[in-house]
Amino acid sequence: MNERIVQKKLSGENILDQSKISLKRSLGLKTGILLVAGIIIGSGVFKKIAPMSAGLMDKNYILLAWLLAGVISLFGAFTIAGLATLTNESGGVYEYLRLSFGNFFSFLSGWAALLIAGSGGIAAIAFIFSESVNYLIPLPNLPDSWQNISIGNFVFPFASAGVKILAVLSIIFLTILNIYGVKKAGALNNVLTAAKITGIILLIVAGLSFTHDTPTVTNIAKLPSSPTNIFSAIIAAMLSAFWAYDGWILVGNIGGEIKNPKRNVPISLVAGVGISIVLYILLNNAFMHVLPLSTLANLSENNIAALEVARAISGKTGIIAIALLIVVCTFGALNAVIITYPRLYYRMAQEKFLPKSFSFVHPRFRTPYLGLIYSMIWSCVLVISGTFDILTNMVIFTEFLFLALLGIALIKMKRNGKITARLILYPLSPIILILFSITLIINTFITQPVQSLTGLLFIISGIPVYFYYKKKSKEIQKTGE
């Protein structure tokens, strides 16, 4: 719709129909690449080496798990890159599934993002950012009598009050910045992601050049002898790695604001994931060069492996430097996910599968400001309630359900002639993505049945909502509103 303002008559007055204002294409290829890398590089890579060491206890297998998870993510990026050539619109996975299979599966993917990955992910990253700040500068808390107050012995709104308040303030600040224009938010992302990559490279160099006073054992082969158990252990380690790689798929959500998206979204995906794979493998190799696997494996869930590595390299100075790096990484990732998720809701509302107000675009700043505000409110509620952990535990499982569908979608659209562009490693990449996704889903159901069923129930809960909006959409078409 370019720059023109769309108006309509209501009660004899001209008023702006904000659902008809288009988003502005103001993000270039560099921002697209750094946005993918910025979403991926959060806190996961600094701590996931601990559970992976405990599960595998072998350096080579750990690096293999990081590599395999990266390659699967890259195959996923190849698949999404192919689907991204279908459209110039925002919406990402939702839009690709809509074009390939219609509204049902696309709505369920958007519903899962709305309930689980979107606001839950924003809340989780904001909380981790705030915890990282708390590590450097202790934040004030309420008295114990307040922290123990609960709702149904399940929600503790006043627990970790200082951390929660900072998390909420960070979400509000970045949401306001995003409302004022995607270009401003993109520029901040570029600065923060460049700082992340620079900091990680310096940590890699420091780790790999570290010399031990006494020899240390870094390869302790204690894997189960059964090939089945080894396979299961590697899959479990890959799940940890996938959490660190997670988020690359979100760049498609802002397709409506990227210049030449059919070209730049695919390049951004492949380049951003490729950068992350190289950095992650080198960084984890550096971790295992500095500390023996037995030390890494014995770290508690609350310990951050990178901080222990920094302590070994340069003591308190190293700890402060890595803590600052984690603050920058998590703040940058928070900004990136706040940019992307509301654009998905915006596209769903355009297709009349969310309230119309989610599609309202600010007439001056050209951003989906009401979608950003709704996302901010729900994210803040999840931070205060502390229930975001329940949602984020199901993110990887639900994502792979839809990744399998996306692999099928690429094959379908290519065979139907809807996709004419040359695709990277086609049909190998979608086939491997489908097979691996099915394997991971089955393995997760076996090893984590409660979590898997809960995630599935969240998705299924969208079915009656889908039929409600489908019926409402037909009524709107009949009345011509």
Side-chain angles (χ1 to χ4, degrees):
M1 200 164 293
N2 301 324
E3 299 296 323
R4 89 189 150 84
I5 297 176
V6 180
Q7 295 183 322
K8 68 179 181 180
K9 288 280 187 177
L10 185 66
S11 302
E13 296 181 2
N14 284 331
I15 67 167
L16 193 65
D17 184 355
Q18 295 182 354
S19 68
K20 299 294 178 63
I21 304 173
S22 63
L23 299 173
K24 189 174 182 179
R25 296 193 185 279
S26 53
L27 302 179
L29 178 59
K30 180 182 73 173
T31 300
I33 294 171
L34 291 176
L35 188 62
V36 174
I39 295 170
I40 293 173
I41 303 171
S43 64
V45 70
F46 298 108
K47 57 191 303 186
K48 289 302 181 181
I49 185 66
M52 293 171 77
S53 298
L56 287 173
M57 290 300 289
D58 184 281
K59 177 180 178 179
N60 295 326
Y61 278 107
I62 290 168
L63 292 178
L64 177 64
W66 280 106
L67 177 62
L68 289 176
V71 169
I72 296 297
S73 298
L74 196 57
F75 283 158
F78 292 157
T79 300
I80 301 301
L83 291 168
T85 63
L86 285 169
T87 179
N88 290 321
E89 297 287 350
S90 300
V93 172
Y94 169 82
E95 184 68 3
Y96 308 146
L97 291 177
R98 188 185 73 82
L99 294 172
S100 303
F101 301 116
N103 290 319
F104 181 72
F105 288 114
S106 62
F107 176 80
L108 291 183
S109 73
W111 182 253
L114 187 68
L115 284 189
I116 300 172
S119 296
I122 290 171
I125 296 171
F127 194 84
I128 295 168
F129 159 72
S130 191
E131 280 187 320
S132 303
V133 173
N134 187 47
Y135 187 90
L136 287 169
I137 307 168
L139 300 171
N141 272 320
L142 294 171
D144 290 342
S145 57
W146 280 79
Q147 295 197 56
N148 294 327
I149 295 173
S150 70
I151 300 172
N153 205 30
F154 176 67
V155 174
F156 294 83
F158 301 111
S160 304
V163 172
K164 287 181 178 179
I165 290 170
L166 180 59
V168 166
L169 291 175
S170 65
I171 292 171
I172 293 172
F173 168 75
L174 289 173
T175 299
I176 293 171
L177 178 69
N178 272 268
I179 288 172
Y180 275 91
V182 71
K183 195 168 185 179
K184 291 183 176 64
L188 176 62
N189 170 79
N190 293 351
V191 171
L192 292 173
T193 303
K196 291 185 195 185
I197 293 172
T198 302
I200 288 173
I201 290 172
L202 290 175
L203 179 56
I204 290 168
V205 171
L208 293 179
S209 60
F210 179 74
T211 54
H212 299 273
D213 294 331
T214 56
T216 183
V217 179
T218 59
N219 193 342
I220 308 172
K222 290 187 178 180
L223 279 168
S225 56
S226 166
T228 303
N229 290 339
I230 293 173
F231 174 79
S232 184
I234 291 175
I235 290 291
M238 287 175 68
L239 279 173
S240 291
F242 279 127
W243 175 253
Y245 280 116
D246 189 47
W248 52 268
I249 204 169
L250 297 179
V251 71
N253 289 358
I254 59 167
E257 291 156 289
I258 291 181
K259 299 172 185 176
N260 193 8
K262 290 185 178 182
R263 170 186 176 271
N264 289 341
V265 169
I267 295 174
S268 298
L269 278 163
V270 175
V273 173
I275 290 168
S276 302
I277 292 171
V278 173
L279 291 176
Y280 280 12
I281 291 174
L282 290 174
L283 184 59
N284 280 274
N285 192 34
F287 288 164
M288 292 183 286
H289 176 77
V290 175
L291 292 178
L293 291 182
S294 55
T295 300
L296 292 168
N298 288 323
L299 293 176
S300 70
E301 188 177 340
N302 294 325
N303 284 117
I304 297 174
L307 293 175
E308 299 305 317
V309 170
R311 190 196 308 275
I313 294 173
S314 57
K316 189 174 181 180
T317 302
I319 292 174
I320 293 172
I322 296 305
L324 284 170
L325 177 59
I326 295 172
V327 167
V328 171
C329 286
T330 50
F331 191 70
L334 179 61
N335 178 57
V337 293
I338 287 175
I339 291 173
T340 53
Y341 274 115
R343 273 70 181 181
L344 165 60
Y345 313 146
Y346 158 83
R347 186 62 185 141
M348 291 176 72
Q350 280 190 318
E351 292 297 318
K352 298 179 175 57
F353 281 97
L354 276 182
K356 184 178 179 180
S357 56
F358 277 79
S359 67
F360 285 3
V361 173
H362 196 284
R364 179 181 174 189
F365 304 123
R366 304 288 288 276
T367 53
Y369 70 107
L370 288 182
L372 281 158
I373 291 170
Y374 293 147
S375 176
M376 175 193 75
I377 292 169
W378 183 231
S379 299
C380 290
V381 169
L382 291 176
V383 167
I384 293 167
S385 69
T387 55
F388 56 85
D389 274 335
I390 299 170
L391 300 181
T392 53
N393 286 340
M394 297 176 287
V395 166
I396 298 300
F397 171 77
T398 55
E399 280 188 359
F400 272 94
L401 281 172
F402 293 107
L403 278 175
L405 268 179
L406 289 166
I408 297 169
L410 181 64
I411 294 171
K412 176 188 175 184
M413 300 305 273
K414 183 67 174 174
R415 292 183 65 181
N416 290 348
K418 301 292 185 181
I419 294 176
T420 57
R422 292 182 62 184
L423 304 179
I424 306 172
L425 292 180
Y426 179 86
L428 181 64
S429 57
I431 289 172
I432 290 178
L433 182 66
I434 293 165
L435 293 175
F436 181 82
S437 297
I438 292 170
T439 303
L440 184 141
I441 290 164
I442 293 171
N443 187 76
T444 308
F445 253 113
I446 293 169
T447 58
Q448 301 173 17
V450 175
Q451 177 179 308
S452 303
L453 286 170
T454 306
L456 195 58
L457 286 173
F458 268 106
I459 295 171
I460 292 172
S461 71
I463 293 176
V465 184
Y466 164 76
F467 283 108
Y468 164 77
Y469 277 110
K470 185 178 180 181
K471 181 181 178 182
K472 189 175 179 181
S473 179
K474 287 182 178 178
E475 290 172 354
I476 291 172
Q477 289 175 0
K478 285 181 182 178
T479 59
E481 293 179 3

